Amino acid sequence: MSVRVRFAPSPTGFLHIGGARTALFNWLYARHMGGTFVLRIEDTDTARNTQAAVEVIINGLRWLGLEWDEGPTTGDPDGPRKGGHGPYFQSRRGEIYKKRVQELVDKGLAYSSEGAVKFRMTREPITIPDLVVGNVTRVLTDREEIDPDFVLVRSDGQPVFHLVNVIDDLEMGITHVIRGEDHLANTAKHLALFRAFGAEPPKYAHIPLILNSDGSKMSKRDQGASLMTYNDEGYAPEAVLNYLVLLGWSPKGNREVMPAKEIVEMFDLPQILRHNARFDMNKLQWVNWEYLKTMAPERFVELGTAALQRAGVSLEGYTPAYILAALSTAKEKFKTFADLKPFVDFYFQKEVEIPAELAAKQFTAESRPRLARLRAAYAELAAFDHASVEKTLKSVATELGVKAGVLVHPVRVACTGKEIGPSLYHLMEVLGKTEVLRRIDRANA
RNA sequence: GACCCUAUGGUCUAGCGGUUAGGACACCACCCUUUCACGGUGGUAGCUCGGGUUCGAUUCCCGAUAGGGUCGCCA
């Protein structure tokens, strides 16, 4: 039988990083097994569901590169979808639930109570066979001991999570439920429900949770809890995916940085760790940086351009070749695209602003004549590539009897308005002779 | 309160009875260097505790402790 897994988020208005990892593990398993990855929207709590909230989930999954085989393709519950097991919005599956509840009532396994429908839960311990944790035997807690039965349908007619979750997994032919460990204890209820329906339950794999760096539970409000903040903060989705899979899973041979394609090949359920992991921003940053270093130039420019736009840097009027060359000089200078702007903004400014403090420091009575001498040498250069520019600067320095650094700093400030930035020689090559001379003249006026 | 899961440096992890306990991030020092970075070399730091089992426990069992989860007409 072919593997069918699902990611079944509730549209709360954002995609939790832990939820994203759950989706990732499901997706990986589906791809690894050549199975089907289903997206199902658990929107039974109508009060807090909107189309926009569903779109957040859809956009988040697509951003990570987790395309699903079945499910909605837009946030519209009545909109287009793919796959033959729909609808994929629980809010559109009311008839199915109604029929199933009636089935339980007819069997005497469910009953009405104060307007709600409750399930006659077994009082016997239930053993959950879990692919990650092993066999887990759940007995009733003291509170459950008093009344083990639980609500299936609210008095307002809305079915609750446990019910719809089980029915959908059943109707959609889900073979493996890969979900957060926070559902482990609840699985006893789900198993009892499957038994009540006379159906074979799927295999379960409860994966550990992601905690804050201080070990506390990561909730909505915590820093970095929302997947899309990583986009805002300049992380490449491929790096986020790679980092996420490392939380609770690790391949053989001390491998860490590897493309999704390779992860898919190696990924499997039994290797998943059993303990929670803390989210380590430093490590994510490092992974991101590893991706930046080896990233194809086009991709680098694509992500860099988007980041600059977010940061308010306009690239209008500059050629793609210029932008590519400019951004390339900043490669390996920063770890996330959020830090790109200060390294390249001067490329896209007509008049570079030089802070008075820097000007006073670099353009002194002593340095100005040297700068003028260098400017004169540059003016005569035929080829303005980084090698020639460097060679010229160094020979002028020798001629003036100073170290290269003495010329480098004023020129850098003249060209960029900053003391730090890309390799001076390379950035001058990109700026071009005319512009470099113009900037030196302006600074040294 | 009850029940469940978990426990290797600060963090992510390898390990599955005998290892100088391996790797990565972070951190520190030095070197390199046109800035900032990179890179190179070296370094600090770990099996939660207590009982067992065993010739021998990081590894197996029990307990304690700690962290996380669940017990809802939320999902």
Side-chain angles (χ1 to χ4, degrees), chain A residues 314-349:
Chain A
S314 171
L315 270 41
E316 226 179 275
Y318 296 94
T319 67
Y322 178 81
I323 294 170
L324 173 63
L327 298 200
S328 295
T329 64
K331 206 166 181 179
E332 295 190 31
K333 290 287 176 182
F334 57 93
K335 297 203 165 151
T336 76
F337 283 104
D339 296 329
L340 172 61
K341 178 178 171 179
F343 284 98
V344 298
D345 56 358
F346 64 87
Y347 283 121
F348 310 105
Q349 292 166 352

Side-chain angles (χ1 to χ4, degrees), chain A residues 106-159:
Chain A
D106 292 344
K107 285 179 176 172
L109 295 169
Y111 60 92
S112 292
S113 170
E114 293 181 38
V117 179
K118 295 184 77 175
F119 179 64
R120 221 179 282 285
M121 180 66 177
T122 177
R123 305 182 126 260
E124 302 305 312
I126 290 187
T127 297
I128 304 155
D130 191 279
L131 264 22
V132 172
V133 189
N135 285 339
V136 176
T137 300
R138 246 310 295 269
V139 301
L140 296 178
T141 68
D142 56 354
R143 288 183 226 275
E144 291 168 333
E145 201 68 62
I146 297 166
D147 177 18
D149 296 353
F150 58 91
V151 170
L152 296 177
V153 182
R154 303 195 291 224
S155 49
D156 66 2
Q158 281 297 317

Side-chain angles (χ1 to χ4, degrees), chain A residues 40 81 84-104 153 157 159 163-173 197:
Chain A
R40 180 174 79 221
R81 65 190 194 221
H85 294 72
Y88 294 95
F89 282 78
Q90 291 183 331
S91 58
R92 300 299 122 108
R93 297 172 64 80
E95 288 310 310
I96 298 170
Y97 305 139
K98 209 168 284 177
K99 221 177 340 178
R100 286 291 189 173
V101 169
Q102 190 56 48
E103 177 187 341
L104 292 183
V153 182
L163 203 233
V164 296
N165 190 269
V166 164
I167 293 176
D168 288 343
D169 284 344
L170 175 53
E171 300 265 349
M172 293 181 180
F197 286 124

Side-chain angles (χ1 to χ4, degrees), chain A residues 414-432:
Chain A
C415 289
T416 72
K418 296 186 182 67
E419 287 185 303
I420 67 168
S423 158
L424 177 65
Y425 310 123
H426 290 80
L427 76 84
M428 285 197 285
E429 173 179 332
V430 174
L431 247 18

Side-chain angles (χ1 to χ4, degrees), chain A residues 210-219 222-223 225 277-279:
Chain A
I210 298 178
L211 271 28
N212 289 314
S213 58
D214 66 357
S216 62
K217 181 189 179 183
M218 189 182 269
S219 62
D222 288 310
Q223 193 72 39
R278 300 181 188 206
F279 197 92

